[in-house]
Amino acid sequence: MVIGLAGLLVAVISAAVAVAQLVEPSSPAEHVQECQHKYAAPYVRGREVAPGVVEKKFGSCSWPPVPGTGADGFSDVTVTEYAIPDVPMASKFTNAQQIESECTRLSLRYRFYSQGTVAQAPLDVDNDQIVSFYDGSPEAIPAELEGIIRDPRGPEEPGPKSLIVLSHDRYELVQAECVDPH
């Protein structure tokens, strides 16, 4: 009887392994599809967290995984957007996005709105710095935001890396995801 149960157990385990091997994704598209199903990605979720401060979460899947994504290719990027107080609309920068993720390099996509014109603007940039949206060049945190947002170049803190992008409110961040740094 014991041998019969042991044999049955081996047969059940063998069948389970065979089924698991059959459903294991084999192509990059299948890996991405499985990740998207698991996380309901891609997604963008936003909410206002304080007056003039909006938080967005971007979830996406890629294959093969790149630095900063999970083993299944999933990346989660949190963006907190701050309006820079007391700056005129004609200023070069009217807002700052603090982007937190484990990504080594990020691909950001912006949508431009002005007087009926709509266009896309891409920016691919390394994490842990402060940059201009316009060309990715280094910038300083505007004095109006000192003490409100954390300087990513400061002391090492536990948790996700932080990128700050200075931009204009005519540009809306519509996509943020990890990309291969090479």
PDB file of all heavy atoms in Angstrom, residues 69-84:
ATOM      1  N   THR A  69      14.227  45.839 -13.271  1.00  0.00           N
ATOM      2  CA  THR A  69      12.946  45.140 -13.368  1.00  0.00           C
ATOM      3  C   THR A  69      13.029  43.865 -12.543  1.00  0.00           C
ATOM      4  O   THR A  69      14.111  43.420 -12.170  1.00  0.00           O
ATOM      5  CB  THR A  69      12.580  44.776 -14.829  1.00  0.00           C
ATOM      6  OG1 THR A  69      13.559  43.854 -15.334  1.00  0.00           O
ATOM      7  CG2 THR A  69      12.521  45.997 -15.721  1.00  0.00           C
ATOM      8  N   GLY A  70      11.868  43.273 -12.288  1.00  0.00           N
ATOM      9  CA  GLY A  70      11.838  41.987 -11.606  1.00  0.00           C
ATOM     10  C   GLY A  70      12.306  40.885 -12.537  1.00  0.00           C
ATOM     11  O   GLY A  70      12.512  41.097 -13.739  1.00  0.00           O
ATOM     12  N   ALA A  71      12.466  39.692 -11.996  1.00  0.00           N
ATOM     13  CA  ALA A  71      12.905  38.542 -12.787  1.00  0.00           C
ATOM     14  C   ALA A  71      11.921  38.226 -13.910  1.00  0.00           C
ATOM     15  O   ALA A  71      12.287  37.640 -14.920  1.00  0.00           O
ATOM     16  CB  ALA A  71      13.085  37.317 -11.890  1.00  0.00           C
ATOM     17  N   ASP A  72      10.659  38.658 -13.735  1.00  0.00           N
ATOM     18  CA  ASP A  72       9.645  38.427 -14.760  1.00  0.00           C
ATOM     19  C   ASP A  72       9.510  39.595 -15.742  1.00  0.00           C
ATOM     20  O   ASP A  72       8.650  39.604 -16.599  1.00  0.00           O
ATOM     21  CB  ASP A  72       8.290  38.122 -14.113  1.00  0.00           C
ATOM     22  CG  ASP A  72       7.808  39.221 -13.181  1.00  0.00           C
ATOM     23  OD1 ASP A  72       8.478  40.274 -13.056  1.00  0.00           O
ATOM     24  OD2 ASP A  72       6.753  39.035 -12.564  1.00  0.00           O
ATOM     25  N   GLY A  73      10.387  40.608 -15.614  1.00  0.00           N
ATOM     26  CA  GLY A  73      10.377  41.740 -16.541  1.00  0.00           C
ATOM     27  C   GLY A  73       9.461  42.882 -16.135  1.00  0.00           C
ATOM     28  O   GLY A  73       9.325  43.864 -16.858  1.00  0.00           O
ATOM     29  N   PHE A  74       8.844  42.804 -14.951  1.00  0.00           N
ATOM     30  CA  PHE A  74       7.919  43.853 -14.514  1.00  0.00           C
ATOM     31  C   PHE A  74       8.679  45.015 -13.880  1.00  0.00           C
ATOM     32  O   PHE A  74       9.615  44.811 -13.112  1.00  0.00           O
ATOM     33  CB  PHE A  74       6.923  43.301 -13.491  1.00  0.00           C
ATOM     34  CG  PHE A  74       5.976  44.348 -12.956  1.00  0.00           C
ATOM     35  CD1 PHE A  74       4.977  44.874 -13.756  1.00  0.00           C
ATOM     36  CD2 PHE A  74       6.102  44.813 -11.655  1.00  0.00           C
ATOM     37  CE1 PHE A  74       4.108  45.836 -13.267  1.00  0.00           C
ATOM     38  CE2 PHE A  74       5.239  45.771 -11.151  1.00  0.00           C
ATOM     39  CZ  PHE A  74       4.243  46.286 -11.963  1.00  0.00           C
ATOM     40  N   SER A  75       8.279  46.237 -14.230  1.00  0.00           N
ATOM     41  CA  SER A  75       8.841  47.420 -13.577  1.00  0.00           C
ATOM     42  C   SER A  75       7.711  48.299 -13.057  1.00  0.00           C
ATOM     43  O   SER A  75       6.651  48.402 -13.670  1.00  0.00           O
ATOM     44  CB  SER A  75       9.737  48.226 -14.523  1.00  0.00           C
ATOM     45  OG  SER A  75       8.996  48.831 -15.551  1.00  0.00           O
ATOM     46  N   ASP A  76       7.978  48.894 -11.913  1.00  0.00           N
ATOM     47  CA  ASP A  76       7.033  49.797 -11.259  1.00  0.00           C
ATOM     48  C   ASP A  76       7.773  51.105 -11.027  1.00  0.00           C
ATOM     49  O   ASP A  76       8.820  51.124 -10.375  1.00  0.00           O
ATOM     50  CB  ASP A  76       6.575  49.192  -9.933  1.00  0.00           C
ATOM     51  CG  ASP A  76       5.518  50.023  -9.236  1.00  0.00           C
ATOM     52  OD1 ASP A  76       4.572  50.461  -9.911  1.00  0.00           O
ATOM     53  OD2 ASP A  76       5.648  50.235  -8.021  1.00  0.00           O
ATOM     54  N   VAL A  77       7.248  52.184 -11.586  1.00  0.00           N
ATOM     55  CA  VAL A  77       7.882  53.495 -11.489  1.00  0.00           C
ATOM     56  C   VAL A  77       6.883  54.449 -10.850  1.00  0.00           C
ATOM     57  O   VAL A  77       5.743  54.550 -11.302  1.00  0.00           O
ATOM     58  CB  VAL A  77       8.296  54.012 -12.890  1.00  0.00           C
ATOM     59  CG1 VAL A  77       8.914  55.390 -12.808  1.00  0.00           C
ATOM     60  CG2 VAL A  77       9.245  53.020 -13.568  1.00  0.00           C
ATOM     61  N   THR A  78       7.311  55.142  -9.792  1.00  0.00           N
ATOM     62  CA  THR A  78       6.458  56.115  -9.119  1.00  0.00           C
ATOM     63  C   THR A  78       6.966  57.515  -9.432  1.00  0.00           C
ATOM     64  O   THR A  78       8.150  57.802  -9.244  1.00  0.00           O
ATOM     65  CB  THR A  78       6.461  55.899  -7.593  1.00  0.00           C
ATOM     66  OG1 THR A  78       5.981  54.580  -7.316  1.00  0.00           O
ATOM     67  CG2 THR A  78       5.571  56.910  -6.888  1.00  0.00           C
ATOM     68  N   VAL A  79       6.064  58.363  -9.912  1.00  0.00           N
ATOM     69  CA  VAL A  79       6.411  59.727 -10.272  1.00  0.00           C
ATOM     70  C   VAL A  79       5.585  60.680  -9.415  1.00  0.00           C
ATOM     71  O   VAL A  79       4.360  60.593  -9.407  1.00  0.00           O
ATOM     72  CB  VAL A  79       6.122  59.998 -11.764  1.00  0.00           C
ATOM     73  CG1 VAL A  79       6.463  61.438 -12.122  1.00  0.00           C
ATOM     74  CG2 VAL A  79       6.872  59.013 -12.649  1.00  0.00           C
ATOM     75  N   THR A  80       6.267  61.570  -8.707  1.00  0.00           N
ATOM     76  CA  THR A  80       5.585  62.614  -7.957  1.00  0.00           C
ATOM     77  C   THR A  80       5.915  63.929  -8.642  1.00  0.00           C
ATOM     78  O   THR A  80       7.091  64.282  -8.773  1.00  0.00           O
ATOM     79  CB  THR A  80       6.033  62.635  -6.482  1.00  0.00           C
ATOM     80  OG1 THR A  80       5.855  61.329  -5.935  1.00  0.00           O
ATOM     81  CG2 THR A  80       5.212  63.637  -5.685  1.00  0.00           C
ATOM     82  N   GLU A  81       4.871  64.591  -9.119  1.00  0.00           N
ATOM     83  CA  GLU A  81       5.068  65.826  -9.864  1.00  0.00           C
ATOM     84  C   GLU A  81       4.717  67.017  -8.992  1.00  0.00           C
ATOM     85  O   GLU A  81       3.639  67.077  -8.413  1.00  0.00           O
ATOM     86  CB  GLU A  81       4.216  65.828 -11.128  1.00  0.00           C
ATOM     87  CG  GLU A  81       4.470  67.042 -12.000  1.00  0.00           C
ATOM     88  CD  GLU A  81       3.854  66.907 -13.368  1.00  0.00           C
ATOM     89  OE1 GLU A  81       4.394  66.123 -14.165  1.00  0.00           O
ATOM     90  OE2 GLU A  81       2.846  67.565 -13.606  1.00  0.00           O
ATOM     91  N   TYR A  82       5.650  67.948  -8.914  1.00  0.00           N
ATOM     92  CA  TYR A  82       5.493  69.154  -8.104  1.00  0.00           C
ATOM     93  C   TYR A  82       5.411  70.368  -9.018  1.00  0.00           C
ATOM     94  O   TYR A  82       6.258  70.535  -9.901  1.00  0.00           O
ATOM     95  CB  TYR A  82       6.690  69.344  -7.174  1.00  0.00           C
ATOM     96  CG  TYR A  82       6.909  68.218  -6.215  1.00  0.00           C
ATOM     97  CD1 TYR A  82       7.685  67.104  -6.566  1.00  0.00           C
ATOM     98  CD2 TYR A  82       6.360  68.245  -4.945  1.00  0.00           C
ATOM     99  CE1 TYR A  82       7.894  66.070  -5.678  1.00  0.00           C
ATOM    100  CE2 TYR A  82       6.563  67.206  -4.046  1.00  0.00           C
ATOM    101  CZ  TYR A  82       7.329  66.125  -4.431  1.00  0.00           C
ATOM    102  OH  TYR A  82       7.529  65.100  -3.542  1.00  0.00           O
ATOM    103  N   ALA A  83       4.431  71.217  -8.782  1.00  0.00           N
ATOM    104  CA  ALA A  83       4.401  72.516  -9.456  1.00  0.00           C
ATOM    105  C   ALA A  83       5.432  73.396  -8.758  1.00  0.00           C
ATOM    106  O   ALA A  83       5.516  73.412  -7.526  1.00  0.00           O
ATOM    107  CB  ALA A  83       3.014  73.135  -9.344  1.00  0.00           C
ATOM    108  N   ILE A  84       6.256  74.097  -9.523  1.00  0.00           N
ATOM    109  CA  ILE A  84       7.228  75.010  -8.926  1.00  0.00           C
ATOM    110  C   ILE A  84       6.467  76.293  -8.597  1.00  0.00           C
ATOM    111  O   ILE A  84       5.925  76.944  -9.492  1.00  0.00           O
ATOM    112  CB  ILE A  84       8.409  75.282  -9.876  1.00  0.00           C
ATOM    113  CG1 ILE A  84       9.125  73.970 -10.212  1.00  0.00           C
ATOM    114  CG2 ILE A  84       9.379  76.291  -9.249  1.00  0.00           C
ATOM    115  CD1 ILE A  84      10.199  74.094 -11.276  1.00  0.00           C
TER     116      ILE A  84
END
